[in-house]
Amino acid sequence: MKKLQFPKGFQWGVATSSYQVEGGNSNSDWWEWEKQGKADNESGRACDYWNRYKSDHNLLDELGCGSFRLGIEWSRVEPEEGKFDQAAINHYREILQDLKDRNIKTQVTLWWWTSPIWFQEKYGFHKKESVKLFVRYVEKIANEFGDLIDIFMTFNEPMVPLGQGFLAGAFPPGYMNPVKFLRALNNVAAAHRKSYDIIHRIKPDAKVGITYLYNWYESEGFGILLNTINRIAQWYRIDLLGNKIKGYQDFVGVHYYRLGKIKFNWKNIKMDSRNQTYLGFTIEEDESNVMRWVSYPKGIYLVLKQASDKFKLPIYISENGVPTREGIEDDERIIYIREHLAFVHKAISEGVDVRGYNFWSLMDNLEWLYGYEPKFGLIEIDYKTLERKPRKSFYEYAKICKSNEIEVGE
Ligand code: BGC
């Protein structure tokens, strides 16, 4: 076995998101979406992180990671238009203070695919008022507990909910309307730029950015048309928004999960974003994986190079992970982590400025449309009792966090 050492001060972490773990987010548009039967499960009490955060933070201590990525739920902080809920704000402050007391750096995401019901009913990101409403919320957060936030991430992978919510109709607000999509895209970009300025005004040394779902897509061997489609898809996922917020990012959040090998099938001319079919274009699947995702460790190296060339900014790998089925024996997760980290190490050794890595996720959680079936956690959640059971991978990842190195085969 060979040991690969990571740079001194490299930030090892794990990620979760508010809606996916907190539970009880009944003022959110996703809650309504679930009630209409548009997702496989209702989130309900989720992992009840909202009440159990202290014992979950004990597990972070046990893991020995130095940073934690979490979300703030706009619908908790501002359940009614213009009325901020001080109790919810204080509760978030307690959560963040608890992390600070443990010397864990916080990466806080301000919008993770969910909006307050009032916002969605009366406005939505396709309406121009959305910019000032969102920025008012951000300003409140920065004033109330910006001192406890080490890294601000305004929007999480915005192209995913913009595409799913305004083109594919699969996420709230459920539109299939390119005009609304373009308006929403421009408003999200404007909201990010303004948030960037406001956060810096309140906290001049703040680090503010956005996260991008990268993944690695290819279409080799399928001819010019597919290659062109692939390039357009790449432009859509990264450049379209990235170019609109140029100069308004202190770092880039890169998310990498899998390989997407684009194919074309005449027999499948339909729009079904849930099953990754876009008018005949679809991607290769691995039937053995619970979400049919194809693992491709080298892809993380390729996207890091790409992100570094494009943005020329420090990079945080804010998410990387693999869905499995239930059970705490998860050798495939351990292999996934090691293989991907070996490629992260390679990118760093070739000069890519990667500052940290978050594993997705600390614990099993609500996987949006797919409900509770896919398991992403280092910790298994028993949804009946809410008991936390660390998986085998938890202990392996703990070794990595504590030693700042990985062991790989010669
Ligand atoms: C999202 C998470 C999601 C994860 C796994 C990321 O794209 O930020 O919310 O659970 O992927 O699909």
Side-chain angles (χ1 to χ4, degrees), residues 285-300:
E285 297 183 331
D286 175 355
E287 293 299 331
S288 69
N289 178 271
V290 59
M291 288 183 77
R292 290 174 280 157
W293 287 4
V294 179
S295 168
Y296 180 54
K298 188 179 175 193
I300 199 166

Side-chain angles (χ1 to χ4, degrees), residues 17 20 69 112-113 156-157 160 211 213 255 257 291 293 319 360 365-368 376:
S17 92
Q20 293 175 273
R69 177 166 181 239
W112 204 311
W113 301 3
N156 178 60
E157 299 178 359
V160 175
T211 68
L213 179 60
H255 293 177
Y257 284 90
M291 288 183 77
W293 287 4
E319 284 178 39
W360 178 269
N365 55 60
L366 179 92
E367 181 55 18
W368 303 110
F376 276 93

Side-chain angles (χ1 to χ4, degrees), residues 160-176:
V160 175
L162 285 171
Q164 297 282 33
F166 288 90
L167 291 177
F171 281 16
Y175 294 124
M176 294 170 88

Side-chain angles (χ1 to χ4, degrees), residues 1-4 334 338 396 405-410:
M1 289 298 247
K2 187 167 75 173
K3 289 188 173 165
L4 300 177
I334 296 173
R338 281 213 196 108
E396 286 303 314
E405 62 185 26
I406 52 164
E407 280 192 354
V408 289
E410 289 294 340

Side-chain angles (χ1 to χ4, degrees), residues 82 98 185 308:
D98 187 63
L185 168 70
S308 160

